[in-house]
Amino acid sequence: MRLAITRGVSPAIARCELTHLARQPIDLKKARAQHAAYEACLRALGCTIRRLPGGDALPDSVFVEDCAVVFDEIAVIARPGAPPRRAETGAVATALKAVRPLARIGPPGTLDGGDVLRAGRRVFVGISSRTNAAAIDQLNRLVSPFGYTVTGVEVRGCLHLKSAVTEAAPGVLLLNPAWVSEGTFHGFTCIETDPGEPHGANALRIGDDLVYASAFPRTRDRLDSLGLSIHPVDVSELAKAEGAVTCCSLIVENG
Ligand code: CIR
């Protein structure tokens, strides 16, 4: 069974953390409708949705990806770099405890799950305003015994590593070369985002399918050339909170 852990959009989302974007009004009703459509898309792709309760007082709680990193062997509970977001991790840990042994990032480490890109046994971790070297060391110690190689990656100009690069298909990365250096990813095929779509590097792989924001049609054309099965979703309201498609779920294979 493939599980997708999600959390509803908080009524406090207008007070979300923002780093690279100016604050704009967010239409809560529309954000919730888009989030429900996103969940429906994951369901149609074979995921069982487990929507976590209790995030209403936490503005960014919809972005569950930042609270943990799920491996086949363990789940690592993150320690988000923005202190107000740390209270989000409890409910995520409770859900993951049922499906994986848990480990945790501890102080002085800070890590947002959005900074962790898994590609097979390679794990790339963004060195960002949210994720520091201490956390990368901790993650390395936790997962290298399972055969993963952990590499820290400088990101510039965006919030998280996965704002800049995600895996579109096995061995194929979708990236914005202005935010991350292609040279870091030896052995991978890299597809660049369209220059007019800098936020278009964030795609969510579910098996052989790709969930992708409808806001980036020109980059989508580039992905189409790979013959991937692409499922467009409109996440325009969540994008105003600096969120994208990967950040609204934690996918657990065999969950
Ligand atoms: C934040 O700044 O933490 C949230 N407003 C957005 C988090 C998006 N998370 C993600 O891309 N993994």
Side-chain angles (χ1 to χ4, degrees):
M1 172 166 124
R2 184 178 280 143
L3 185 68
I5 294 175
T6 65
R7 210 167 191 186
V9 182
S10 162
I13 192 164
R15 289 188 278 109
C16 66
E17 299 289 325
L18 285 176
T19 307
H20 295 278
L21 294 183
R23 201 167 291 279
Q24 303 178 56
I26 296 175
D27 181 332
L28 179 61
K29 201 170 154 203
K30 194 169 164 192
R32 285 182 164 163
Q34 290 178 349
H35 184 256
Y38 169 88
E39 288 179 327
C41 177
L42 298 192
R43 206 176 281 115
L45 296 177
C47 296
T48 298
I49 304 291
R50 187 157 307 156
R51 190 193 270 215
L52 303 180
D56 278 8
L58 302 167
D60 282 303
S61 56
V62 64
F63 302 123
V64 286
E65 173 183 56
D66 293 320
C67 291
V69 187
V70 181
F71 295 86
D72 293 342
E73 301 83 359
I74 57 168
V76 179
I77 306 302
R79 184 166 181 268
R85 296 202 59 193
R86 292 185 191 149
E88 295 170 28
T89 58
V92 172
T94 300
L96 286 173
K97 199 169 58 184
V99 290
R100 291 287 188 277
L102 294 189
R104 287 176 192 275
I105 299 297
T110 64
L111 180 135
D112 280 11
D115 272 318
V116 184
L117 170 64
R118 280 186 53 195
R121 295 273 142 180
R122 302 292 307 276
V123 180
F124 298 98
V125 189
I127 303 163
S128 71
S129 59
R130 301 289 176 84
T131 297
N132 65 17
I136 297 174
D137 280 351
Q138 290 179 34
L139 189 66
N140 183 36
R141 267 182 270 124
L142 290 168
V143 302
S144 59
F146 300 114
Y148 294 95
T149 303
V150 176
T151 308
V153 181
E154 297 285 346
V155 289
R156 49 184 181 268
C158 62
L159 182 59
H160 288 130
L161 178 65
K162 276 189 278 190
S163 320
V165 54
T166 55
E167 192 184 37
V172 180
L173 301 181
L174 173 63
L175 65 76
N176 175 346
W179 289 347
V180 73
S181 297
E182 218 168 297
T184 309
F185 303 104
H186 282 298
F188 290 87
T189 301
C190 293
I191 297 182
E192 295 185 0
T193 51
D194 181 275
E197 297 175 346
H199 292 275
N202 187 268
L204 173 63
R205 257 189 79 202
I206 310 270
D208 293 332
D209 294 284
L210 207 60
V211 179
Y212 191 62
S214 54
F216 311 117
R218 291 199 293 271
T219 304
R220 189 204 155 140
D221 285 346
R222 298 182 180 198
L223 291 168
D224 275 336
S225 67
L226 289 176
L228 298 174
S229 172
I230 300 175
H231 304 267
V233 288
D234 182 358
V235 289
S236 56
E237 289 307 303
L238 296 169
K240 295 175 187 171
E242 237 167 321
V245 289
T246 62
C247 47
C248 296
S249 58
L250 281 163
I251 305 297
V252 185
E253 301 291 343
N254 306 312

